[in-house]
Amino acid sequence: NGRPAHGNRWLVTQFLKRELGFEGLVVSDWGGINKLPGSAEQQFAAGINAGIDLVMLPGTNAPGTWNQATSGPWRAFVDSVERSVKTGRISLERIDAAVRRVLRVKGKLGLLAADAGGTAALRPPSSKHLAAAAAAEPKQLAPLVRSKWHRALAEEAAAHSAVLLKHDGALPLSPTASVLVACRGGRSLGRQMGGWSLSWQGTTRDEGLGTNVYDGFRARAGRAGCKACVSFSERGDADSGDVAIAVVSEDPYAEGVGDRARSPVPMHGADHACLDNLMKRRSSRPVILVAISGRPVDISEFDRRSSVIIASFVPGSEGGSAIASLVYGDRPFKGRLCRAWGEHWSLGFGLRLEPPPAAPPPPQEPSPPKVPVFRLLRPAPPPPPPPPSPPPPSPPPPSPP
């Protein structure tokens, strides 16, 4: 509605904290509070009164700013808030409420301990809660945060959010089909992860822990004994594969770096060239288009040359396995569009694959007549005796003289 969330008291305090019962702490975006109108002091007061409990200030890590104990953006912020409390612009009760929420979260995380006088205090860095994390390397923590259950849940989320936009009967594929995975997104875990993942703006490289599309298809085909059935070509200039999986994708982005004036967002020229190469090499080869993006992208040129179109919204680390499970029919398509996509697909659109018709049951021999169990366990009783014969008729009486 044009009203900045950082200064929206109804949204942060009334709705989030009171109506929804949120007991955590509200943190501002990086420099977001400075987008409010007025001077810096007015901005700080408006954000804190709206319900922000912890303010993330803009700045750098260079010496003379954050690393100096007596200067930097944080010092100006503290001085400004102190003045606002003294003048009544910010109430002391509001400061107490924010501090209370911060301490409550730290207490639930086990970061506070009671001293001899019963007063809560920060645990020293050598405590068991902090020392283990400080000494551990990321690779040592990976088995904990990326367990088998976590990966299975990530794959399920990626599969459920994928939307089937077009289908001409090519799915599901047989796991022994000859498949060519092609284009930039086919072997790039970074494109599946998007921004705010492997780095702030993300990466286009195939790095990190996860399963890209190519590896996902190879793993699934391998379980059917046909790992060699899957090949890869980033440019799409290969003759292998009776079916092509063209994985087109956006470059990763975060925040304003991804802003575009046009909607749907145009696709990269390299993806157009990849599909051109696929058509030139084997025009009769069916193309299954997988569009990895964070929003509707312009795939109108791909539509007429694709048998199947799947929208995969930044599927994450296990996106490759999820896409393979959908294409091979191991999972059903359940996703629907949360907004219209161009002129072709409306809000809520999402195709479903009809399950294959069940095979008729095999003919069966007619069953023999059922015999009661008790007839099999004991002999049948003897037949009843015949009824007695009726007595002979009496002679007629003598006639009178």
Side-chain angles (χ1 to χ4, degrees):
N1 59 4
R3 185 179 179 184
H6 285 77
N8 192 333
R9 177 176 169 78
W10 175 87
L11 180 66
V12 179
T13 297
Q14 182 62 33
F15 181 69
L16 176 66
K17 293 183 176 180
R18 294 177 181 172
E19 294 187 24
L20 297 185
F22 176 68
E23 295 184 351
L25 58 92
V26 177
V27 185
S28 77
D29 194 6
W30 184 87
I33 203 168
N34 299 103
K35 302 296 184 181
L36 297 175
S39 65
E41 191 162 316
Q42 292 172 329
Q43 294 167 347
F44 296 149
I48 293 173
N49 287 332
I52 293 175
D53 304 305
L54 194 62
V55 178
M56 184 162 40
L57 300 172
T60 67
N61 291 323
T65 54
W66 295 103
N67 295 338
Q68 297 295 322
T70 59
S71 63
W74 71 271
R75 183 71 263 175
F77 170 79
V78 171
D79 292 341
S80 174
V81 172
E82 286 181 350
R83 286 194 299 270
S84 293
V85 171
K86 291 177 180 178
T87 60
R89 179 175 282 168
I90 302 175
S91 68
L92 193 57
E93 289 77 15
R94 174 68 195 101
I95 299 297
D96 290 342
V99 172
R100 190 178 299 112
R101 284 179 175 267
V102 173
L103 294 178
R104 180 190 299 136
V105 170
K106 288 184 176 182
K108 288 184 177 180
L109 293 175
L111 300 179
L112 298 177
D115 58 18
T119 303
L122 282 174
R123 292 182 181 273
S126 59
S127 69
K128 64 178 181 179
H129 297 89
L130 301 181
E137 295 292 333
K139 290 183 179 179
Q140 294 175 307
L141 294 176
L144 175 65
V145 301
R146 192 175 175 270
S147 63
K148 182 179 180 181
W149 180 83
H150 284 177
R151 296 195 304 272
L153 189 62
E155 179 181 329
E156 182 181 5
H160 283 194
S161 62
V163 182
L164 182 61
L165 299 178
K166 179 182 178 180
H167 181 237
D168 69 353
L171 298 181
L173 290 186
S174 167
T176 58
S178 177
V179 173
L180 172 67
V181 178
C183 305
R184 302 183 309 153
R187 205 169 184 176
S188 172
L189 186 62
R191 296 182 186 278
Q192 293 174 201
M193 300 293 290
W196 276 117
S197 56
L198 301 173
S199 65
W200 175 38
Q201 291 296 327
T203 177
T204 59
R205 296 186 296 273
D206 186 43
E207 61 182 30
L209 299 174
T211 308
N212 62 40
V213 176
Y214 171 64
D215 289 340
F217 273 77
R218 276 175 59 85
R220 179 60 184 89
R223 292 197 294 272
C226 197
K227 194 172 185 178
C229 293
V230 182
S231 56
F232 175 74
S233 172
E234 182 173 340
R235 294 168 53 87
D237 52 356
D239 295 325
S240 59
D242 295 329
V243 179
I245 312 295
V247 188
V248 300
S249 61
E250 283 191 290
D251 288 338
Y253 57 86
E255 303 175 2
V257 177
D259 291 352
R260 299 292 184 271
R262 176 181 163 189
S263 181
V265 177
M267 294 303 297
H268 197 279
D271 289 326
H272 288 275
C274 177
L275 202 63
D276 288 340
N277 291 334
L278 290 173
M279 294 291 102
K280 290 175 183 177
R281 288 284 185 167
R282 293 178 63 180
S283 60
S284 61
R285 176 172 48 190
V287 174
I288 297 174
L289 185 79
V290 179
I292 294 180
S293 66
R295 54 198 169 182
V297 290
D298 187 358
I299 54 175
S300 55
E301 288 298 316
F302 303 112
D303 186 5
R304 59 184 177 85
R305 296 188 286 182
S306 304
S307 303
V308 177
I309 298 179
I310 301 170
S312 181
F313 294 100
V314 193
S317 63
E318 306 308 315
S321 300
I323 293 169
S325 69
L326 293 168
V327 171
Y328 286 123
D330 299 329
R331 294 179 184 270
F333 282 93
K334 295 184 176 181
R336 297 187 184 276
L337 292 179
C338 60
R339 58 165 295 176
W341 189 316
E343 299 178 356
H344 298 281
W345 303 290
S346 59
L347 171 67
F349 183 86
L351 297 176
R352 301 291 184 266
L353 291 182
E354 294 294 333
Q364 297 180 353
E365 295 292 334
S367 301
K370 294 183 178 181
V371 180
V373 176
F374 70 87
R375 292 279 303 277
L376 300 176
L377 300 179
R378 62 183 182 182
S389 300
S394 301
S399 300

